[in-house]
Amino acid sequence: TIKGKDSTGGIVGYLASTLDNAFNMGEITGSKNTGGIVGLTEAIVQYTYNAGVVYGLENLGAIAGFLNETEVKNSYYDSRLLSSYRGVGNYQKPTKAVGNSQNSSTVYGLDYNYMTGIERLGLGSLQMNFSKQNWTDNINIDDNENYPQLSIFSKSNHEEIRLRSKEATRRTYYQIYYDYNSADGNNDK
């Protein structure tokens, strides 16, 4: 969990030089310019993904809060996660990748049902046009339940890095049931 004020990000608050190969799976809360990867960027952000929760007050994005004449590319965020929670009090959740910009052809909000498993990288209608040099969709997985992973992490020689990469690209959603006085739907009272 990261809590900050202005320019708060899961990896970097204020970015002045290129950021490559990063992911976040934690909760990020900030005021102005809050993002899952970077709060405010004046440099290129590429090969990143966010699988964490983001809250902010102004200029907030699933990847970057505020983009200042640069670009975010070859990145994605978990759109199903984003749609599964609400803002809290005055704090809002992001609605897109970058707070002050629209999603682009190389920045995706991915839905778990369509973008997990093998063969998700490519040029097909249900594939991401990401380089297989930087991304993998068939390494470091147990089944077909992972989003694409960054190659640098999925192919790492360090077991802990591979494990965190796998965990960050896998989502488990929970369904909660509430039993009110053993109600079964047939109660008349």
Side-chain angles (χ1 to χ4, degrees), residues 75-88:
S75 298
Y76 73 84
Y77 61 93
D78 185 336
S79 64
R80 180 165 292 183
L81 173 67
L82 196 63
S83 67
S84 71
Y85 70 97
R86 300 181 204 192
V88 177

Side-chain angles (χ1 to χ4, degrees), residues 45-91:
V45 176
Q46 60 187 359
Y47 309 117
T48 66
Y49 61 90
N50 179 44
V53 173
V54 178
Y55 292 107
L57 299 174
E58 181 183 343
N59 289 332
L60 58 151
I63 302 290
F66 191 86
L67 186 64
N68 194 13
E69 298 184 30
T70 57
E71 65 182 326
V72 174
K73 57 186 181 178
N74 300 307
S75 298
Y76 73 84
Y77 61 93
D78 185 336
S79 64
R80 180 165 292 183
L81 173 67
L82 196 63
S83 67
S84 71
Y85 70 97
R86 300 181 204 192
V88 177
N90 292 331
Y91 287 89

Side-chain angles (χ1 to χ4, degrees), residues 76-142:
Y76 73 84
Y77 61 93
D78 185 336
S79 64
R80 180 165 292 183
L81 173 67
L82 196 63
S83 67
S84 71
Y85 70 97
R86 300 181 204 192
V88 177
N90 292 331
Y91 287 89
Q92 305 164 25
K93 67 177 188 171
T95 58
K96 53 191 173 181
V98 179
N100 67 323
S101 180
Q102 296 302 314
N103 288 351
S104 72
S105 62
T106 63
V107 178
Y108 300 90
L110 301 183
D111 183 289
Y112 184 80
N113 283 338
Y114 299 105
M115 296 310 299
T116 57
I118 59 173
E119 301 303 322
R120 294 303 181 196
L121 301 173
L123 299 174
S125 62
L126 290 177
Q127 293 179 313
M128 295 185 343
N129 186 13
F130 282 179
S131 163
K132 289 189 178 188
Q133 178 181 351
N134 298 92
W135 296 92
T136 62
D137 61 1
N138 60 356
I139 296 173
N140 195 37
I141 61 173
D142 294 325

Side-chain angles (χ1 to χ4, degrees), residues 172-178:
T172 302
Y173 294 95
Y174 300 93
Q175 188 168 5
I176 300 172
Y177 297 93
Y178 180 71

Side-chain angles (χ1 to χ4, degrees), residues 12-24:
V12 178
Y14 171 78
L15 181 67
S17 62
T18 300
L19 174 65
D20 291 332
N21 299 315
F23 69 89
N24 170 55

Side-chain angles (χ1 to χ4, degrees), residues 1-3 7-14 19 22-30 33-40 49-50 52-54 61-65:
T1 300
I2 295 174
K3 293 184 179 183
S7 300
T8 304
I11 304 299
V12 178
Y14 171 78
L19 174 65
F23 69 89
N24 170 55
M25 51 191 270
E27 182 177 319
I28 312 304
T29 303
N33 304 329
T34 304
I37 301 296
V38 62
L40 187 149
Y49 61 90
N50 179 44
V53 173
V54 178
I63 302 290

